[in-house]
Amino acid sequence: MRVLLVDDDLFAAELASVFLEMSGYEVIIAESAMTALANIDSDNDIDLVISDFHMPDITGLDLLEMLRANGWSKPFILLSASELTDITVIPDCWVQKDENMAERLVAVVNDILVNEILVNEILANQTLLPANAAE
């Protein structure tokens, strides 16, 4: 599973990356939303985006809005040190950015990706069932 981690704070990104890689994820770090957009355009194998909310030029929420407007529907986790209010696009999850973020982030990524795999397997198996199997 490939995770794109977007954060202008390289120390925080590398710390989270270490935890995610120890859990078996391949992590790509982008230091800006513009770099993240270029990565997503050139890499169809990215399974999930984790983005800091507060970044210069384009915020993590702006990045989420741009991706959703362009039809990108894979999971998106937003990181922020402050409460999110008045947001117009809802991320799949919000993780508090603090000293325990990396451990929580691994648990959230595991939960989101495992649930997505299960849903995809259920949907794939439903197409194999006869029409009256649900009755």
Side-chain angles (χ1 to χ4, degrees):
M1 295 276 175
R2 292 171 62 97
V3 174
L4 177 61
L5 182 56
V6 188
D7 198 332
D8 62 317
D9 180 348
L10 197 54
F11 176 77
E14 288 180 352
L15 179 63
S17 174
V18 167
F19 278 80
L20 290 165
E21 288 172 348
M22 288 186 334
S23 297
Y25 297 103
E26 181 180 347
V27 179
I28 303 162
I29 295 175
E31 293 184 62
S32 72
M34 292 306 293
T35 303
L37 289 170
N39 286 342
I40 290 168
D41 280 344
S42 65
D43 187 345
N44 290 329
D45 294 329
I46 294 172
D47 299 297
L48 179 143
V49 172
I50 301 167
S51 177
D52 185 23
F53 178 79
H54 296 287
M55 295 187 294
D57 301 325
I58 300 174
T59 69
L61 191 59
D62 293 336
L63 174 62
L64 173 59
E65 288 178 329
M66 295 164 89
L67 290 173
R68 294 295 189 243
N70 289 325
W72 202 82
S73 60
K74 294 180 181 178
F76 192 102
I77 298 172
L78 199 57
L79 305 172
S80 178
S82 56
E83 288 276 329
L84 299 177
T85 58
D86 299 326
I87 59 174
T88 55
V89 177
I90 308 297
D92 293 283
C93 186
W94 168 73
V95 173
Q96 177 79 29
K97 195 172 184 181
D98 59 19
E99 67 276 357
N100 299 318
M101 174 195 76
E103 295 93 346
R104 278 197 316 274
L105 194 54
V106 169
V108 168
V109 169
N110 287 339
D111 191 41
I112 287 175
L113 290 180
V114 167
N115 284 337
E116 183 172 291
I117 290 168
L118 291 174
V119 166
N120 288 337
E121 286 177 3
I122 290 168
L123 292 174
N125 289 332
Q126 283 182 341
T127 61
L128 301 175
L129 296 174
N132 61 356
E135 296 174 3

